[in-house]
Amino acid sequence: MSRADDGTVELGGLAARAVTGDRQAMEQLLAAVHTLVHRYCRARLSRFPGSEHAADDVAQEVCVAVLSALPRYRDDGKPFEAFVYRVAANKVADAQRSVFRHAQPQADIPDTVDLSDGPEEHAVRSSDAEQARALLDQLPDTLRELLVLRVAVGLSADETGRALGMSAGAVRVAQHRAVQRLRALATSEPVRGTA
């Protein structure tokens, strides 16, 4: 398996070999892509009902889409991860739109007492999450995506850079600027979209 200097799987090399019909490279590529996009999908879909299943489904759809597009894929100088995350972002957006179009099933009445957090704890957590989402929504798309990849998905600066077509240093600088902007937004004005 091709590995970059930092020990991560080198998707570009695997993609190039997979395009030529190398079955082993294709299997390794899909395994690596699934791992990457599953974390991304979990982070982006976490606030939606049934998110754990939706993340699995969307990650699978991304793998199918990447596999389908692979014969037409041409290396245009950007990292293969950027192509994968563009496909993933589109599939996540489709899943988010779908949630709002279809009724979501609710669980049956439980047979036992639920000792988990009550409505107050959920409300506080939900309010904090809503405030964070409202703050993130005020950032430009590229900075918001960068923070999701770095913080929610947990990618390194190198991995995020490959996904967004940036150097690791540029990722760190942009992340610093995004955090500074969020800090300024949080302290300067009430966040729009919260109660």
Side-chain angles (χ1 to χ4, degrees), residues 15-96:
R17 290 182 22 228
V19 166
T20 65
D22 183 333
R23 193 136 190 83
Q24 183 180 11
M26 188 174 302
E27 289 174 11
Q28 291 173 345
L29 177 69
L30 286 178
V33 165
H34 186 271
T35 300
L36 287 174
V37 298
H38 190 260
R39 288 188 300 181
Y40 175 78
C41 293
R42 273 196 340 247
R44 293 288 308 274
L45 296 171
S46 64
R47 70 180 182 178
F48 293 95
S51 62
E52 54 283 338
H53 300 297
D56 293 340
D57 293 343
V58 173
Q60 189 68 30
E61 287 177 27
V62 171
C63 288
V64 169
V66 168
L67 183 62
S68 298
L70 203 53
R72 296 180 310 281
Y73 173 75
R74 297 293 172 256
D75 185 359
D76 59 359
K78 295 180 183 170
F80 187 75
E81 290 90 335
F83 166 71
V84 170
Y85 280 113
R86 187 172 55 242
V87 171
N90 290 335
K91 293 294 183 184
V92 164
D94 290 345
Q96 290 170 336

Side-chain angles (χ1 to χ4, degrees), residues 90-152:
N90 290 335
K91 293 294 183 184
V92 164
D94 290 345
Q96 290 170 336
R97 283 190 292 272
S98 176
V99 166
F100 295 116
R101 281 187 239 141
H102 302 329
Q104 296 296 314
Q106 299 298 316
D108 293 331
I109 297 174
D111 293 330
T112 61
V113 175
D114 183 8
L115 300 175
S116 62
D117 291 345
E120 182 178 347
E121 291 85 4
H122 285 292
V124 169
R125 237 189 342 269
S126 177
S127 174
D128 291 346
E130 182 62 33
Q131 183 177 15
R133 278 191 292 277
L135 284 169
L136 283 171
D137 286 344
Q138 294 181 52
L139 291 177
D141 290 342
T142 53
L143 290 180
R144 182 174 49 251
E145 199 67 18
L146 182 140
L147 285 178
V148 167
L149 291 173
R150 287 285 284 146
V151 177

Side-chain angles (χ1 to χ4, degrees), residues 135 138 177-190:
L135 284 169
Q138 294 181 52
R177 288 183 180 150
V179 170
Q180 293 295 4
R181 187 181 267 176
L182 284 176
R183 190 173 287 135
L185 287 168
T187 58
S188 69
E189 62 182 66

Side-chain angles (χ1 to χ4, degrees), residues 148-160:
V148 167
L149 291 173
R150 287 285 284 146
V151 177
V153 177
L155 297 184
S156 69
D158 290 328
E159 293 168 325
T160 302

